[in-house]
Structures are given as C-alpha cells and as structure tokens.
Amino acid sequence: MGNWKVGVISASDSIARGERVDDRIPIIRQLTTEWLHADVAVYRKVADDMEDLKEHMIELVDREKCDLLIVTGGTGLSPRDVTPEVTAWVIDRPVPGLAEEMRRAGLQQSRRAMLTRAVAGTRGNSLIINLPGNPKGVEICFNAIGDMLSDALHILQGTGKASEDWGGLGW
C-alpha cells in the first residue's frame, strides 16, 4: 500500500447508533486503494453533531496525522446535515475545484446532485474532502477527483513535483 495515511469519518446518526450498516466504507476503502494505493488507516462513525464532528475531524488531522480525511454523509439539506459547516470551520483554505468537479460529475447522473453542499479544503498539510452519504454518490464523486488526489497531496506536503505540469500553463 501507499504512503498516504487516510482517515474516514462516516457522519450519520443511524450508523453511529449502530442501527444501520455503513454501506459506504467498503466503497471508500476500494477507491482509496485504487486511486492512492492506500488503505483507510483510521475510521470513525460519528453522529451528525457539530461538536462531535469538529472534535473528530481535528483529532484525525492534528493528532492522528491523516494526510487525507474523507468525511462522508451530512452534506444534504436536512437540518441534521452539518458536515459542510463543520468542515468550513476546520479547514484553513478551501479547495473549491474539487467540490465543483464532484458536483459536475454528480449532475451527469442526477439533477439532485446540485443539492449537495459538500466542500473540500486543507488544514495544515492535510486535505479534507466531503463526500455524500449515498454509496453511489460516494463512488461518482470520488472517481471524479481520484486522479487529482495524489497530486494535491504531493503539492500540499511539498513531497515532489506533481505528475503533470498542466502543459506549462503554470497552474
């Protein structure tokens, strides 16, 4: 497996209470292996609660030193969907292009994708990404940005040149 340390938080009241199986974590594990050659090192089930989510997100980035933190669920319009707000509070810098590309890819499958409020950004030299809670949405969104994650992490951590130079455009 690769050198990236990946953390995943499933934001869901029912999953956190053990009332529902987390059907998205197997997909995330498969996709992190496929795109990053990395396994999920840290996994948490957390209720849709702002304080709990904030505490776990900060812990996984600051103390557990996850290079990539994926927070799945809580990105919709329900009053309990608070993942984007917590992520916006935790990150230092937004990376809107990742969220935009996930929504664009989602819209090719369903008009409902425009209702997702998922965000992406950095905290220190870690990348934090919100994914939907729907397993199919997880797959679509992750695959939409999977080819850029390794480059983003390399650039963010200063561990070498990204795999492409964007045709000399200076991106």
Side-chain angles (χ1 to χ4, degrees):
M1 288 289 154
N3 296 328
W4 303 119
K5 184 172 184 179
V6 178
V8 175
I9 295 173
S10 274
S12 165
D13 290 333
S14 59
I15 290 172
R17 287 192 301 259
E19 298 168 359
R20 192 180 85 154
V21 172
D22 188 350
D23 53 359
R24 44 213 182 181
I25 189 63
I27 296 165
I28 293 171
R29 286 185 188 281
Q30 177 208 333
L31 292 169
T32 56
T33 299
E34 180 181 326
W35 286 107
L36 296 169
H37 309 290
D39 195 8
V40 173
V42 186
Y43 167 63
R44 303 275 170 82
K45 302 175 205 176
V46 180
D48 291 302
D49 175 82
M50 290 185 104
E51 285 303 315
D52 286 348
L53 276 172
K54 181 174 78 171
E55 180 181 314
H56 284 279
M57 288 173 75
I58 291 170
E59 180 185 344
L60 266 58
V61 171
D62 293 0
R63 290 191 282 288
E64 293 286 339
K65 303 294 184 200
C66 290
D67 301 304
L68 173 64
L69 176 59
I70 298 167
V71 186
T72 176
T75 61
L77 296 176
S78 163
R80 296 282 295 164
D81 290 337
V82 295
T83 298
E85 286 75 22
V86 176
T87 304
W89 186 86
V90 168
I91 62 174
D92 301 322
R93 301 181 299 163
V95 184
L98 294 174
E100 291 164 7
E101 180 59 13
M102 289 190 290
R103 270 187 281 283
R104 187 199 62 74
L107 282 166
Q108 293 178 343
Q109 306 294 319
S110 170
R111 300 265 305 145
R112 294 196 73 171
M114 70 176 70
L115 302 180
T116 184
R117 301 177 311 107
V119 299
T122 64
R123 179 180 178 92
N125 60 0
S126 299
L127 182 62
I128 302 173
I129 295 170
N130 296 163
L131 292 176
N134 174 286
K136 185 65 177 166
V138 166
E139 186 177 359
I140 291 166
C141 290
F142 198 112
N143 281 326
I145 63 170
D147 65 328
M148 287 281 90
L149 293 177
S150 184
D151 279 359
L153 292 169
H154 278 297
I155 294 165
L156 188 58
Q157 297 185 358
T159 55
K161 188 173 183 288
S163 63
E164 292 189 29
D165 67 357
W166 292 289
L169 296 175
W171 291 101

